[in-house]
Amino acid sequence: MRRGVPSAARGSRGGGLTTSIRDVAGRAGVSVGTVSNVLNRPDVVSAATRERVLAAITELGFVRNESARHLRAGRSRTIGLVVLDIANPFFTDVARGVEEVANAEGLAVILCNSDDQVGKESAHLDVLAEQRVQGVLITPTAEVSPALDALRRRGVPVVLLDRRAPAADQCSVAVDDVLGGRLAAAHLVERGHRRIAFIGGSSGLPQIQERHEGVDRAVLDAFGTDDALTVLSPPALTVAGGRDSALQIVGLPADERPTAAICANDLLALGVLQEMVRHGVRVPDDFAIVGYDDIDFAAAAAVPLTSVRKPRQELGRRAAELLLDEARGGDHRHVQQVFEPTLVVRESSMVRRTGAAG
């Protein structure tokens, strides 16, 4: 017959979180309340008893359950971060900014990936609510989840990240993406391009729609018509989506084919570059490419990419600061901060075209 092993003995080999406060009390020969006092109010316990309890803690490898302690107090030492696509380095850089602020406050960040799916987003928000996070930073899906409003009604602070707040009663940190689109299009027009593609047109994400709007305005300003603009809508804002769009461009008749593309993000731009190179299209001599976000891979591409730069880590830092200020309560004032993007010009768009065919 298999013999049972006392719980204290089970914990004696690095039991850690599996070792309970009762195990420590049993090993030290004191009550659970005395162990609790040693952990939380050591001054009320005699020196001899305190040393005995501490020796038992060391021997058993006991680690106090801080998570449970904070949950009993009504909050945890965590904040939630929900992003659209963790495979996009843009969100990795944003997360670094968030983590920098959170760590300075002794908090951990729970990172969740929604894949731009409202169902996954809702599930993540439910879990974060159960974990009693101090607040949630989120780049929402195109279709706003009802779980987001439910979270706010429960008193959990929510800050929109890389998305403008729909009303003044909520904090948000965003970028002027209309301006970003205008900067990209104006640059290509100045380089002599007369037929320009915008890649990413079908996305329902407001920030992508704003980029499209900025491109459209700049083209209208330059030519008085949007006939010069071709809009392509890949199934996803990924490298594969960029390759698909490049194939469409290559397949167009020469007199209709754009000579440049503005991509809704850098992953699309990298895909376009890959496919153009594969088809022997010279970048930027035959075709210019402008990306968006200015992730590190943009500068490191085989042909370094011109890109609209967003302050990625600063977005994360500022959003986390606003979230923690709201979580502290007191005289919090909602802020909707909008950063200005800048255009970083690199080799992928450097050639100036001449002649009417541009």
Side-chain angles (χ1 to χ4, degrees):
M1 184 176 72
R2 184 178 178 182
R3 293 185 178 181
V5 181
S7 59
R10 287 198 302 271
S12 63
R13 295 189 177 183
L17 290 173
T18 63
T19 303
S20 72
I21 195 170
R22 291 184 180 278
D23 297 330
V24 174
R27 178 59 59 93
V30 298
S31 68
V32 169
T34 298
V35 178
S36 179
N37 283 335
V38 170
L39 294 172
N40 301 298
R41 297 187 302 160
D43 53 300
V44 304
V45 183
S46 69
T49 301
R50 192 164 62 241
E51 289 176 8
R52 197 160 69 248
V53 170
L54 292 175
I57 287 173
T58 301
E59 182 180 350
L60 297 177
F62 172 75
V63 178
R64 68 189 302 169
N65 192 336
E66 287 290 332
S67 176
R69 187 165 71 90
H70 287 297
L71 287 176
R72 285 193 296 272
R75 61 185 177 85
S76 70
R77 298 293 295 169
T78 59
I79 60 174
L81 172 60
V82 185
V83 301
L84 289 172
D85 180 11
I86 196 59
N88 187 338
F90 167 77
F91 289 110
T92 307
D93 290 340
V94 168
R96 286 184 181 276
V98 172
E99 187 178 48
E100 179 183 319
V101 173
N103 288 173
E105 296 292 328
L107 303 175
V109 179
I110 301 176
L111 178 60
C112 305
N113 177 43
S114 73
D115 278 327
D116 197 15
Q117 297 176 23
V118 68
K120 287 188 69 173
E121 179 183 274
S122 296
H124 287 314
L125 292 174
D126 288 343
V127 170
L128 292 174
E130 292 169 3
Q131 293 298 313
R132 300 185 193 176
V133 293
Q134 293 198 14
V136 172
L137 297 163
I138 182 169
T139 305
T141 58
E143 178 187 350
V144 178
S145 166
L148 201 55
D149 287 332
L151 203 62
R152 295 186 66 208
R153 286 195 298 272
R154 295 175 62 172
V156 179
V158 175
V159 174
L160 300 187
L161 180 53
D162 196 34
R163 178 78 63 85
R164 296 173 189 258
D169 65 343
Q170 184 175 18
C171 287
S172 65
V173 178
V175 172
D176 187 345
D177 284 312
V178 174
L179 173 59
R182 291 184 70 104
L183 290 173
H187 167 69
L188 292 176
V189 170
E190 189 274 333
R191 283 289 189 271
H193 294 277
R194 300 296 178 263
R195 295 192 301 274
I196 299 170
F198 177 75
I199 300 176
S202 65
S203 173
L205 294 170
Q207 56 268 51
I208 304 298
Q209 293 174 341
E210 289 179 7
R211 291 167 206 179
H212 185 184
E213 179 185 345
V215 171
D216 201 43
R217 286 187 192 178
V219 170
L220 281 170
D221 288 347
F223 306 119
T225 174
D226 60 3
D227 291 345
L229 185 63
T230 299
V231 179
L232 299 175
S233 302
L237 305 178
T238 60
V239 172
R243 288 196 294 261
D244 289 345
S245 296
L247 276 174
Q248 292 182 56
I249 291 171
V250 170
L252 290 172
D255 60 344
E256 298 177 14
R257 188 181 305 148
T259 60
I262 298 167
C263 302
N265 69 20
D266 285 333
L267 295 184
L268 288 169
L270 289 168
V272 171
L273 175 62
Q274 287 180 5
E275 199 65 24
M276 289 300 179
V277 170
R278 195 171 75 85
H279 281 81
V281 178
R282 296 175 303 164
V283 177
D285 303 77
D286 301 325
F287 193 84
I289 303 172
V290 177
Y292 209 103
D293 293 337
D294 197 32
I295 61 176
D296 290 341
F297 292 136
V303 179
L305 289 171
T306 294
S307 186
V308 177
R309 175 177 291 170
K310 298 171 70 171
R312 304 179 303 277
Q313 292 194 29
E314 182 59 26
L315 281 171
R317 283 193 292 267
R318 183 59 179 143
E321 288 168 356
L322 290 173
L323 183 73
L324 295 182
D325 186 67
E326 185 173 353
R328 294 185 191 104
D331 190 23
H332 174 75
R333 183 173 61 89
H334 291 302
V335 174
Q336 294 82 41
Q337 183 157 351
V338 180
F339 289 92
E340 284 197 358
T342 55
L343 183 69
V344 181
V345 178
R346 300 191 181 96
E347 188 178 340
S348 70
S349 66
M350 289 289 270
V351 169
R352 187 180 301 276
R353 298 181 69 86
T354 58

